[in-house]
Amino acid sequence: MSTHALNEQALIEAAQNEALLPDEASTIWRDEAGPSWIITALSFLGAQLVVLPFLGFLGALGWEFFFDVPGAFMAGAALIGGAAWVLRARPGMFVEQLCFSALLAGLALLVVGFKAELTNPALFVLIAIMLGVAMVIRVGWVQRVLGFMAGGAFMALVVPFELLDVIEPWMSWRYWSVWAYPMVLSTVALTLAWAWWAARERFWSGRAWAPALHAVADGAGVALLLAVVSGSTRHFWMLGLRSGSPAGSADVPGAGEASIFMLSWPALLQMALVAASAVWLARLWRLRQNASPREQGLLVLVYAVLLLACLVIPYVGMVAMVGTLALATGRRLMLGLALAALLAQLSGFYYALAWPLAHKAALLAGVGAALGLLLWAMRAPSASASRPGAAPLPHWPTLVLIAAGAMLSLGMVHFDVQKKEQVIAQGQKIYVPLMPRDPRSLMQGDYMALNFDLPLEVRQTLDGDALGMADHAQVVATLDERGVATVLRVARKGEALAAGERLLPVKRLKGDWTLITDAFYFPEGQGEPLALARFGEFRSLPDGRALLVGLADDKLRPITPAPRKRQP
């Protein structure tokens, strides 16, 4: 232990002797001043090299006993009870890790005993055991992990009202799946419990059980935020995992048809949490006495945006409440995690397929413009303007810079469009065979990913050392009587082309070489006809400039995007 740590320990002990700190202060300090998470993680890995082979040996000796009732329950209870008894004595780090592994093994055996059917009663048993062990032991990091696990299990509880069936769902596992996690009402209940503890913790800091409950609450709060992030962004990070479903395409039934603002009981519940958080914070900070009008306005603005977000983003009210309590009670790490969760929820909203992309973009643009105007209206007055008799500073330099930036941006866009229009108007029509794929561009709307037919030797040359790190090159192609291009070779600098040969530009995109672009964009939900595409239609100039203008079928007939056909 370092000299600095020894000085801290002596200071805490002196404060306890003077009755300035409660008896558990030294316990909390030992948890905070303990080994770093790196040492803890390495110690855990070392413990697994001892525990896992031993558990495997026991399993091999009595497979039927350990993986059947009542043996699974008996072995699980023995492991959990023994680990809790040792951890209560605060052993060394390596023994802590061994006991923690035994705890996990015991909980896993209980799940086996329940036949892996985690109905509500089974979840309640597991939650009670985890909380009970956490309150008994005296190892802070294990208490936090148990709190994390208990919080995660609590959010899996099925409340009958959520399924609109009050008879079977409470007992039946088949009504719950990963697609419903976290359950809304269970997560709201955990949010309220965490917020109540965070608001009242300072009044109970001297109780013997307060440190254990503090650690459990920390773990449960982290589980809450991570579960909310997972539920808000699941449609993005689990694209395509469900077999038989074209996940990730806006052509799936119901995609792009939801109303951007739709009141429902979950949305109203989230709005109530946001409003309660704002009222609690205002009363705690006494904003009218201590905050300037500008600060009050900013706070109102933040919570107004959160209220609006409740209509389109699930679980946002829970994150708002956790973030509010974390801000008011000095939990900086929890506040940072809550802000990260809000950003993840925003990205999940933008990536969702339920609403049309244009509506989502319009909503974000409108909210951004409104926020900009409100912030401009609330701007603080300059120092010169606040002095009596001082002349206001001129604003024309700022206006000139804004106007110059706008003209430069518009000019660059106009120049780029003009070049493309020249290629379309003067270029020769050619067709290049392609092998299409059909994912979804989450940031740019719907598109068909294109894989043009480039010969293997051409790809090998492009990937070779001759081009170095260059991302752009040209290839030589010939055209048949229909205008279909066949790529022959990579063009050499200054090379003279033979009769009938053309230059086409290629570039490296996402680690692969393609002609001009690797995607063809179309209006949202109108990609069904493009499944017949076999050629990319280009306009090409003799100097090698080219532009993709459309797709064609196997007979070179243009394909036009169209809305999917409605099922009768």
Side-chain angles (χ1 to χ4, degrees), residues 134 137 405 468 478 522:
I137 64 177
T478 59
F522 52 88

Side-chain angles (χ1 to χ4, degrees), residues 191-363:
T191 303
L192 293 173
W194 188 91
W196 178 76
W197 161 255
R200 302 290 302 176
E201 182 181 11
R202 59 192 177 95
F203 299 110
W204 297 325
S205 59
R207 306 295 178 88
W209 42 263
L213 196 54
H214 173 83
V216 169
D218 281 351
V222 173
L224 170 64
L225 293 176
L226 293 183
V228 163
V229 169
S230 137
S232 301
T233 60
R234 184 183 301 112
H235 52 271
F236 173 56
W237 56 265
M238 296 193 74
L239 291 181
L241 293 187
R242 288 179 292 178
S243 59
S245 171
S249 171
D251 290 326
V252 297
E257 297 179 358
S259 173
I260 196 69
F261 294 120
M262 184 171 60
L263 281 176
S264 59
W265 70 263
L268 292 174
L269 193 56
Q270 302 304 313
M271 295 177 76
L273 292 177
V274 171
S277 302
V279 171
W280 182 86
L281 186 63
R283 291 187 59 186
L284 177 69
W285 282 2
R286 299 178 182 179
L287 294 177
R288 294 183 179 180
Q289 293 82 10
N290 301 329
S292 66
R294 174 181 170 83
E295 292 171 337
Q296 294 181 37
L298 287 174
L299 188 61
V300 171
L301 189 59
V302 168
Y303 282 96
V305 173
L306 289 174
L307 281 173
L308 180 64
C310 291
L311 298 176
V312 291
I313 301 178
Y315 315 110
V316 71
M318 306 172 194
V319 177
M321 178 162 281
V322 172
T324 299
L325 269 295
L327 172 66
T329 56
R331 288 172 164 84
R332 290 178 294 178
L333 293 179
M334 193 67 70
L335 176 60
L337 186 57
L339 293 175
L342 281 176
L343 291 177
Q345 288 182 304
L346 179 62
S347 66
F349 158 70
Y350 193 80
Y351 295 155
L353 301 177
W355 304 282
L357 185 67
H359 294 182
K360 291 184 288 185
L363 174 63

Side-chain angles (χ1 to χ4, degrees), residues 44-54:
F44 175 75
L45 294 178
Q48 304 318 300
L49 298 178
V50 176
V51 173
L52 294 181
F54 177 70

Side-chain angles (χ1 to χ4, degrees), residues 462-476:
L462 290 170
D463 290 330
D465 297 333
L467 296 178
M469 300 298 294
D471 291 330
H472 293 77
Q474 288 183 320
V475 295
V476 179

